[in-house]
Structure formats: C-alpha cells, structure tokens
Amino acid sequence: MSFKIIVFIKQVPDTDDIRWTEQNTIQREGLESVINPYDIGAIQLAKKIRLLLEDCKITAVTMGPLQAKAALKEAIAMGCDNGYLLCDKKFAGSDTLATAYVLSQFIKTEANDFDLILSGYQAVDGDTAQTPSSLAQKLNIAQITSVKELIEINKEYSLWQKETPEVTQNIKIYHPALISVNINNAEILPDINGYIKAQTTDITVLSAADIEADITKTGFAGSPTQVKKAFRPEITRATERLSFENNGQISDYIIKLINKCKEQDEV
Amino acid sequence: MKFNTLVYIETNNNTIEKVSKEIIAHARQCFKDNEICGVVVTDEITTILEQFKNAGLDKLFVIQNPLLKKFNVSAYCDVLSQLINDIKPSVFLMGATANGRELAPRIASKLEIGLTADCTDLQLDENSNLLATRPTYGGKMMATIISKTTPNFATVRQGAFKHKQFDVNNTEVCFYTPEMSCLNLFLSQLEVLKTEIKEPKEDWTESEIIVAGGLGLKSKENFGLIYKFSDLIGAKPAASRAAVELGWASHDIQVGQTGKSVAPKLYIALGISGALQHISGINNAQKIVAINTDNNAPIMNIADFAIQSDAVDVLNNLINKLSN
Ligand SMILES: Cc1cc2nc3c(=O)[nH]c(=O)nc-3n(C[C@H](O)[C@H](O)[C@H](O)COP(=O)(O)OP(=O)(O)OC[C@H]3O[C@@H](n4cnc5c(N)ncnc54)[C@H](O)[C@@H]3O)c2cc1C
C-alpha cells in the first residue's frame, strides 16, 4: 500500500507587492498571487518523505476560487503528484471553523486512507494559524504544530523537531497525523519535467455536493464569527507640543521625566 | 441572569503564565455582573495554589491528574471541552501562547463554536456578548468580531492588558473530574522524546522605562546610542520594525503588531514616525515622549509630549550629561 500524504495549500496575495487603497483595504486588482510561503515548506518536507519511503504519493489540495487552480499547478510543478480544488460558491466567506469543516469533508470522502497531512504553520495574509488544529480535531487525529525538521520516518510513525520561541522538542507521532510546518523560506525551483507534469495533469474540481458537505456549516452563513465593525484605532492622548531653546533644555526635561517616573506611580 | 467568564490558566514549570493573569485582571475590571472563573489543568495543585491568591478569581476549577502533567493538545482539549459543556460559561478566554494557539482551535472545532484569535481588546455589550477586537488588514485597521455561538471564545495577546493584584481573596476552589477513558489513547498517539527549554530571556517588556529608536537615527552606529542611553538610566532599549529590518536591532526588541506590546510608565520614541502597526504596541504606555525632526510625523500627534528636534543630537547631549 502506498504512503499517502495530503498537503493543504493556500493561495495568498504576494506580500512583497501589497498596495493599500485610500480606504485602507488591500488593493486586490492586479495583485500577484503566490502559494503561501509556509505551505512551500510543507511541500518541501513532503518531498523529503517521498525520497525516504517507497511508493509515496503527494496530493496537493486547496479550497478557493477557480483561479486557485494555478496554485495547484504550481504545486505539481514543484513536485506534488496531483491536485484537488475545493470550489463552490457556498464556501465563500468561510471562517476557520467552516474552512476546517470543508477540508475535513474532503478527507472523509476522497482521502480517508491518508497517512499524513502536512500544512503550513500559518498563512501570511493575516490568518491566525488556527486551521490545522481545527482540522486535526475534526478528524480526531494527533498533531504537531510548528515543525522545523523531519528526523526519521517509517510507515507507522515519524519523528519531528518542533520549535517555538520557548522550546525545541523531538516528538514521535503515530500515523495518521497532522503536521504543521513552520518553514517560511523554502524555495523549490521547478525543473522542466515539473512544468510538463503540471501542464499534463488535470486538477480535480470538487463542489460541496461532491464532498457531501452540509452547506449550513460552510461559507459566510456557516461561520459563527462575524466582523461587527472595522475601524482605525483611536488615539486619545492630549498631545503637548513642547519647544525648547536648545538640546540641553530638552535633555533636562527628559531627565526630569525619568526621575519622576522612578519616584512616583504616575508620570 | 447570571453570566460567567471562564479563563483557561496556563502554567509553565509550576508558574502561572503572565498572560493568564492579565486576562483575569481585565475581566475582573471590565466584565461587570460576570462571575470570573478560572480553570487549571495540572498534576498537582498544591504547589501552585498560592499563586492564585489575590488574582481576582471568584472560582477556580482544578482538573488534577498525574497523566496531565505534560501538555498534550488532544487530552487537554478533551477535558476542557467537558468542563465547558458542564458549566456553560458565556465567555471563554485563553492566552495566545504557543500552546494556546494550538489548543484553542481544537476546542472550538470540537464544540463547533467560533473563535477570535490574538485579540488586543475585549469588551462586553449590554447583553454580555463578547466584542473581541484584533488587528486586521496587516494592522492598518482594527476589527471588532462577534460570535453567534456560546461560549463566545477568544485568545488574547500577551501584554494587551495589565496584570493587577486584587485585595479580595475568597476564591472558591472546585475539583472537576472529567471522564477520561480516551486519555490513554491520546497519550499513546504522541510521545515527546526530548525537550530543550530555551534560555529564558529577561522580560524586557516589563521595564518601567523603554527607549525606542527608528529609522530617523540614520545608522547602526547612531542606533548604538539607544543602548548606551537606556543603560545609563536603567531602561530597556526597543526598536521599530524598519530599524530591525536594517539589522540595527534584533527582532526580540521590536515593538508593534508583529513585535511586542509594551505598557511602560514612560516610552521615549526617537526617530520613529508612528505607523499604526508600531502604535498598536504602545497604546497602553502611561506617557509617550516623541522626538522627531518632522512636526507632521503621525507620532507627533499621538504622543503625550512632542518635541521637534534631531534625535541623534538629543541622545548625544543626554549621554554627555548623564556620564558627567
Ligand atoms: C503587516 C505589517 C506589520 C508591521 N508590524 C510592525 C511592527 O510590529 N512594528 C513596527 O515598528 N512597524 C511595523 N510595521 C512597519 C510600519 O508600517 C512602519 O514601516 C515602521 O514602523 C516604520 O519605522 P520607523 O518609524 O522607524 O521609520 P520611518 O517611518 O521611516 O520613520 C522615521 C522617522 O524619523 C524621523 N526622522 C528623520 N530624521 C530624524 C532625525 N535626525 N531625528 C529625529 N527624527 C528623524 C522622520 O521624520 C520619520 O518620522 C509593519 C508593517 C506591516 C505592513
């Protein structure tokens, strides 16, 4: 039996290229889209596994609009074996919970015999690293978050190095499992064979009905969290503009503030 | 109707995480008419009970089991979800720590409730619904998020609120014993073979005075004056992202949305323009002094004291004065 890896990827705006509108929203027209950099880290580790295990297959999956096919083609050019696009109007506006639900329905209907799910630790377009954990719970599987390196793998279990600001850990996990990969500087340059494969491989597009998704749990309507208002932070300090004759006076003033700060509770 | 707020209290080596105390203090002060409850998962409560004195909790739920000594996300998710189903809090909060970021989405997913992550402000509306505010659009805007599901669930960024001790000390301690038949399964799925705890760095964000430098200092050499001056006055140095990106300072001391949030008594900003992403990290400072050559820089309208001058000259003058 082959070893099956699912890599979840996300198409994000190229952050090196972000422009802002007058209203402080992201200007989406003309914006380049790329694969979320952390997801490329996940593809890189998946390819490493394929080198170590015989008969291993890497499937790239994303939820998004039809344009997201391009990201899947790119993932295949980078070395994934095939790609699925979860695309339905009823998915639009999904929050984390609804997104994790859609991804879990894909797994349950199309890939229930998977061994590992790999995903990026977070998406650079402002998502908050919640989706992988949420998905792992929906599938009732164990997870390791913020993995930097694969140490060892066989079909039954694998060993990973996890790193957070506080600790570095070596963790053994039994399959099936979910690994979120915290590598944001991976670079995979597709070769000519990769490009040919991407061109000749069809992306399977699946709708809500195809993955038997309950549409009351997807999209905007199925998302429990909603933005009530968006605003510019208000600054409520009464600014005092101070003028001085020279830098010596400025220094004296600042030193006075510092001393006040050390002696009293209020400055 | 009586509302209650439940706070998950994270411990690390038998010490309560700072962010947990900050959340309790904020809830105690701002969530009127709410009973403020905490829950702690531990192998042994007696060693940490002392730390709950004066923390401001009405009630503390203790889930105690030797098998829960180490954090295991599936197991912690399971026992906490059971408690939530039993006591039905209206609001559930936890810190956006490394563990919190892993645990919170799992609990939300299990209970099928909404979750607002990494909040910088929390308020209740007149019906005790949670208004959870967080940065959005790369920090250019703030968004206030509501949830249709109960409990209203949010994780909170460390430093968003100020920790406070309360005079009252009448926390009721309740032991909660969840059903644990799945525990062994969860623990057998995953095994931590080795843990290296990184050298805990001194927490500079707690300093009463912080001296921060930005691009207006013009060079790495000039930025060195920030270290020198803060050293002389017993303050801690900090930097804007632009200064960090140029390699003048390490990312550890970056202030702002993608850095640290600070709440010193005095924040001295030298050569910093005051972009919203920077300001969002210093909103809770008691007093802000800005020194900038450009009177129209945003920070000059935000600071308590705005001084138009060359930051490098002022730093040199200060260092001279203080060294004599
Ligand atoms: C998603 C995102 C997240 C971000 N997160 C952060 C963050 O966490 N923290 C952060 O700081 N930024 C953050 N930024 C960047 C932020 O938008 C600004 O670019 C950055 O704060 C600018 O740094 P600065 O004030 O040092 O530089 P500038 O904006 O270039 O300002 C330099 C200032 O120095 C003044 N000046 C020039 N010469 C002198 C002199 N001789 N003496 C005194 N003043 C002088 C100038 O008038 C100017 O006001 C983020 C941006 C994005 C998009």
Side-chain angles (χ1 to χ4, degrees), chain A residues 20, chain B residues 138-139 214-216 218 239-243 254-259 271-275 277-278 291-294 297 309-312:
Chain A
W20 302 92
Chain B
L215 223 54
K218 302 287 190 337
S240 71
R241 178 157 112 175
Q254 180 184 315
V255 165
Q257 189 207 330
T258 45
I272 291 177
S273 61
Q277 295 97 343
H278 188 84
I291 300 171
N292 197 304
T293 42
D294 177 6
S309 186
D310 185 297
V312 179

Side-chain angles (χ1 to χ4, degrees), chain A residues 228 237 241 251 262 264, chain B residues 144 233 265 285 295 301 317:
Chain A
K228 187 180 158 79
R237 290 167 198 267
R241 286 181 185 258
S251 292
K262 289 183 175 164
Q264 307 168 8
Chain B
T144 299
I233 60 167
K265 279 187 184 167
N295 241 337
N301 293 313
N317 193 286

Side-chain angles (χ1 to χ4, degrees), chain B residues 148-210:
Chain B
K148 293 189 275 191
T149 47
T150 323
N152 294 167
F153 187 12
T155 62
V156 179
R157 195 189 159 113
Q158 175 164 336
F161 304 126
K162 254 194 134 78
H163 165 223
K164 192 172 172 275
Q165 294 270 343
F166 296 87
D167 288 338
V168 281
N169 180 32
N170 50 0
T171 305
E172 180 191 347
V173 178
C174 313
F175 284 86
Y176 178 77
T177 316
E179 203 274 313
M180 299 209 223
S181 56
C182 293
L183 212 56
N184 281 317
L185 170 70
F186 293 139
L187 300 177
S188 69
Q189 288 173 332
L190 177 146
E191 190 185 346
V192 177
L193 303 178
K194 194 172 102 187
T195 299
E196 264 171 50
I197 298 173
K198 293 183 187 168
E199 193 69 41
K201 296 195 192 93
E202 189 201 353
D203 189 359
W204 65 270
T205 62
E206 285 287 281
S207 178
E208 295 206 323
I209 307 175
I210 291 173

